[in-house]
Amino acid sequence: MRSSRPSPRSRLYKHWRGKSKFYCAGRCITGGEGECPIACLGGLSCASLATWICILVPSALYFAFVLPCLQRQNAPALLVPASLALFVATVFFLLATCCSDPGIIPPRKFVLATGNRAQLAELLGYDLLGPTGEEPCGDPYMDAANMVPEALRAEGYRWCHTCQIIRPPRASHCKDCDHCVLRYDHHCPFVNNCVGQRNYHFFIGFTTVAIFLAIIVLPAILWTFSGEGENGENKEAHGSFGWYRVVVLLGCVAVAVAALMLVLLWIYHLWLVFNGKTTKEHWRQLDLDSEPTLLAPRGPRLLRPFDLVDEDALA
């Protein structure tokens, strides 16, 4: 008699079928992007690439050329550490927003393949797969009626027919990433990720420090490359290279316009924070009496990329 072979098991991130992508052996996750993806960069969006260019190129000019010029003219001693701290903080918060889990709720097939149903029910306070013994039939309307208990429906819990799970009141399905996200705010192509419960504070941190970095870097570049920050000898030496000044100044104007848009976005999100709403809730005029968006706990991490999955269950 032949002994039955155990089902092969491997890490969850190797079998993830959503549009989000894992990097660094599952340690980093970034969103999917359907609009203007760049294939040679792993599907990174053009908007996200533009974000990095707007940060790195002006900062490189500032630290390589502008800051030494300012130091020669007796700039404040705190300018160097302040500039460096803002640059490091901007890159850190941008990476954290881009590459962290926004609050992904694993789809039904992955919950069953990992065997984490009971653990997730303990973390969430309810069974996200629905009543024990019940299975979805595939009809969105029938499943919405049969799979969500009446007590949960009254509290705002809804059935996601794509992920085949019961999602919490403020969660939503992201069509760009193809999974549900806790306290979903919006999908941001400029950070190539969803903004949700677990990375919203990173997003607010990024917009805040990026504005302060722009306030220091852009005026200094404009002042230096317009010739106001140079002495007579330097002006004469650089006078024959007026073309590069025009390129730098036009580039700074473009980045300044982007920075102005960022300021408006930052003000809008401050308004949302004070009103306890997400972007989706505001635009859809949803009035949900719930926890705040910024100062609330990050919540549990529901998607664990290193969990072992039953490969046969995913077949």
Side-chain angles (χ1 to χ4, degrees):
M1 183 177 178
R2 248 183 346 185
S3 60
S4 59
R5 297 176 58 186
S7 300
R9 299 176 68 85
S10 55
R11 301 298 180 185
L12 183 151
Y13 75 89
K14 295 182 178 179
H15 301 276
W16 186 250
R17 295 173 185 173
K19 295 180 182 178
S20 297
K21 298 177 177 62
F22 287 95
Y23 296 98
C24 301
R27 293 176 178 83
C28 299
I29 181 171
T30 189
E33 185 53 51
E35 298 180 4
C36 303
I38 304 174
C40 63
L41 296 179
L44 182 74
S45 69
C46 291
S48 180
L49 180 62
T51 300
W52 283 104
I53 290 175
C54 287
I55 292 172
L56 297 180
V57 173
S59 296
L61 286 173
Y62 175 78
F63 286 108
F65 302 105
V66 176
L67 196 55
C69 178
L70 295 177
Q71 287 182 298
R72 289 194 297 269
Q73 300 186 32
N74 299 320
L78 291 177
L79 185 60
V80 175
S83 303
L84 186 59
L86 284 173
F87 174 74
V88 171
T90 300
V91 172
F92 167 78
F93 280 117
L94 179 54
L95 282 173
T97 308
C98 292
C99 301
S100 63
D101 175 10
I104 298 172
I105 307 174
R108 185 183 197 89
K109 59 185 176 183
F110 285 102
V111 175
L112 295 174
T114 56
N116 289 339
R117 181 173 185 170
Q119 298 177 19
L120 293 174
E122 184 178 354
L123 289 173
L124 292 170
Y126 74 97
D127 189 348
L128 81 164
L129 299 189
T132 304
E134 294 284 342
E135 290 294 327
C137 65
D139 183 277
Y141 298 101
M142 292 186 64
D143 288 337
N146 298 331
M147 297 301 295
V148 184
E150 188 60 36
L152 292 180
R153 188 181 295 110
E155 295 179 12
Y157 290 77
R158 295 292 181 265
W159 178 257
C160 177
H161 68 273
T162 304
C163 297
Q164 294 191 323
I165 58 170
I166 302 172
R167 63 180 182 231
R170 307 184 81 180
S172 185
H173 188 89
C174 175
K175 62 181 179 62
D176 293 284
C177 296
D178 197 25
H179 49 60
C180 289
V181 177
L182 292 171
R183 205 176 66 223
Y184 177 81
D185 190 271
H186 68 288
H187 180 88
C188 182
F190 294 98
V191 299
N192 208 72
N193 204 357
C194 287
V195 177
Q197 180 170 330
R198 288 184 53 81
N199 69 346
Y200 187 69
H201 58 297
F202 290 144
F203 176 76
I204 294 297
F206 162 65
T207 55
T208 303
V209 296
I211 288 171
F212 282 104
L213 181 66
I215 290 173
I216 290 179
V217 169
L218 294 179
I221 293 178
L222 289 170
W223 183 73
T224 301
F225 281 85
S226 64
E228 297 297 328
E230 295 182 347
N231 296 322
E233 294 181 0
N234 290 331
K235 287 183 179 180
E236 292 179 2
H238 294 157
S240 58
F241 297 97
W243 59 270
Y244 83 86
R245 295 178 183 271
V246 174
V247 172
V248 170
L249 293 178
L250 290 178
C252 280
V253 171
V255 175
V257 172
L260 179 59
M261 300 298 292
L262 184 63
V263 170
L264 296 177
L265 178 68
W266 181 73
I267 293 173
Y268 171 65
H269 274 277
L270 285 185
W271 181 85
L272 290 175
V273 168
F274 286 127
N275 286 275
K277 291 182 177 293
T278 65
T279 300
K280 181 178 180 178
E281 291 165 0
H282 172 233
W283 286 105
R284 293 200 175 183
Q285 298 182 347
L286 301 177
D287 188 14
L288 299 176
D289 184 15
S290 188
E291 62 185 11
T293 55
L294 181 62
L295 301 178
R298 291 185 68 193
R301 184 172 187 180
L302 306 179
L303 179 68
R304 296 182 294 188
F306 295 101
D307 282 349
L308 293 174
V309 299
D310 185 343
E311 295 183 13
D312 291 343
L314 295 176

